[in-house]
Amino acid sequence: MHPMLNITIRAARKAGNVIIKSYENPASVKVDNKGENDFVTNVDKAAESLIIETIKKAYPDHTIIAKESGITKGSDDDVQWIIDPIDGATNLIKGIPHCCISIAVRLKGKTEVAVVYNPMANELFTATRGQGAQLNGYRIRVNNVKDLENTVLAIGFPYKQKQYSDSYFNVLQKLFTKCADFRRTGSAALDLSYIAAGRIDGLFEIGLKPWNIAAGELILREAGGILTDFAGGNNYMASGNVVAGSPKVVKDFITLTLNDWPDRLKC
């Protein structure tokens, strides 16, 4: 096992224990509003603190980019840990057992190690660059579907960017004539991991953040999938506009929907 993967798994499992205890005791979950439709809980902060503490013990010189506490520069900025302590925090707030810890390790701008862990289901998705993706130690692969016909697609509504609602629902309507069904789970990192495991066939979403994408991207790619922006390019980390799936699903999606997005969302 890659030494940084071992530390990443350890950090994710420690944070997972915090999340499970909070889920079992809903009264202990305290919610703050960071902005419109943007929530943070005491559980996010506690889980993130534990993840950072675990990483820093092993790699004190590395840079950390965390959802709640921001950037902690290390003396070795070539290695960056990108952390989302709870992707799907709204689900936790509502008592829905579907959320995850997402941790990625990037070396000179390329993700080398990734962990997405759903503590409620005890499902650990992992990947190391060039060595494939796994779920609880077993190799996973994307579904080898030819096009959008009969696919099940994960979606995420643009609840923080409602100015794009018309474009979004036009695309959704067009896709609905092609695919079999949609799923809205509330966790992009788990959606990407589910595509990698063949549970769903694709995803599109507007306005994701790097900590939503980084770990799931490597897991997806190591399982044979791809991730692009809405024009088929590589600007998704900056824009947060993501389409993911098998190469054929992504190509079919872009061909079908490219002209439905305003230019500012295509990259």
Side-chain angles (χ1 to χ4, degrees):
M1 183 181 291
H2 192 292
M4 284 193 287
L5 178 59
N6 188 36
I7 297 299
T8 310
I9 291 171
R10 186 184 307 170
R13 289 198 181 277
K14 286 183 177 181
N17 289 336
V18 172
I19 293 170
I20 289 172
K21 288 177 182 177
S22 300
Y23 179 76
E24 292 173 345
N25 182 17
S28 69
V29 180
K30 309 301 180 185
V31 183
D32 290 323
N33 194 332
K34 295 194 293 183
E36 185 178 3
N37 299 319
D38 192 5
F39 306 101
V40 63
T41 71
N42 57 324
V43 190
D44 294 79
K45 295 175 181 178
E48 184 172 286
S49 178
L50 193 54
I51 292 167
I52 293 172
E53 178 185 324
T54 303
I55 294 167
K56 283 294 187 183
K57 281 183 179 178
Y59 300 104
D61 298 330
H62 292 179
T63 290
I64 292 177
I65 302 170
K67 179 181 179 182
E68 303 305 335
S69 55
I71 299 175
T72 304
K73 283 278 190 180
S75 57
D76 185 359
D77 197 38
D78 284 343
V79 186
Q80 298 180 337
W81 296 69
I82 303 178
I83 301 164
D84 191 342
I86 310 179
D87 187 37
T90 301
N91 284 344
L92 179 66
I93 292 167
K94 296 296 184 181
I96 299 169
H98 187 85
C99 62
C100 68
I101 299 104
S102 174
I103 308 173
V105 186
R106 306 196 92 197
L107 177 60
K108 296 182 179 180
K110 290 186 176 182
T111 305
E112 297 292 329
V113 168
V115 167
V116 171
Y117 178 49
N118 179 353
M120 277 74 160
N122 194 27
E123 290 190 329
L124 182 73
F125 298 88
T126 60
T128 303
R129 179 176 290 275
Q131 297 184 27
Q134 296 183 323
L135 168 56
N136 290 345
Y138 293 92
R139 187 71 177 264
I140 53 177
R141 296 289 295 177
V142 299
N143 288 329
N144 186 26
V145 293
K146 297 179 180 179
D147 51 39
L148 288 169
E149 295 290 337
N150 300 316
T151 56
V152 175
L153 303 177
I155 59 174
F157 294 107
Y159 61 93
K160 294 182 184 177
Q161 295 177 293
K162 292 184 178 180
Q163 67 270 31
Y164 300 127
S165 295
D166 288 344
S167 296
Y168 178 88
F169 285 109
N170 285 339
V171 168
L172 201 66
Q173 185 176 30
K174 185 174 283 189
L175 287 169
F176 192 59
T177 66
K178 294 284 187 180
C179 72
D181 206 350
F182 297 117
R183 294 291 181 270
R184 166 59 167 144
T185 73
S187 170
L190 279 174
D191 287 342
L192 292 169
S193 301
Y194 276 24
I195 299 169
R199 294 175 175 177
I200 52 178
D201 302 300
L203 160 74
F204 81 98
E205 192 159 354
I206 294 172
L208 294 173
K209 299 297 184 182
W211 45 79
N212 303 132
I213 301 169
E217 178 193 15
L218 183 64
I219 292 166
L220 174 64
R221 290 190 184 280
E222 288 294 321
I226 63 171
L227 191 150
T228 74
D229 57 36
F230 291 162
N234 297 316
N235 196 45
Y236 48 86
M237 276 291 189
S239 71
N241 304 327
V242 166
V243 53
S246 70
K248 291 180 179 178
V249 164
V250 171
K251 181 180 179 181
D252 209 23
F253 176 96
I254 292 168
T255 300
L256 181 68
T257 66
L258 183 60
N259 293 330
D260 294 288
W261 297 114
D263 288 341
R264 58 188 174 275
L265 287 183
K266 289 181 182 178
C267 59

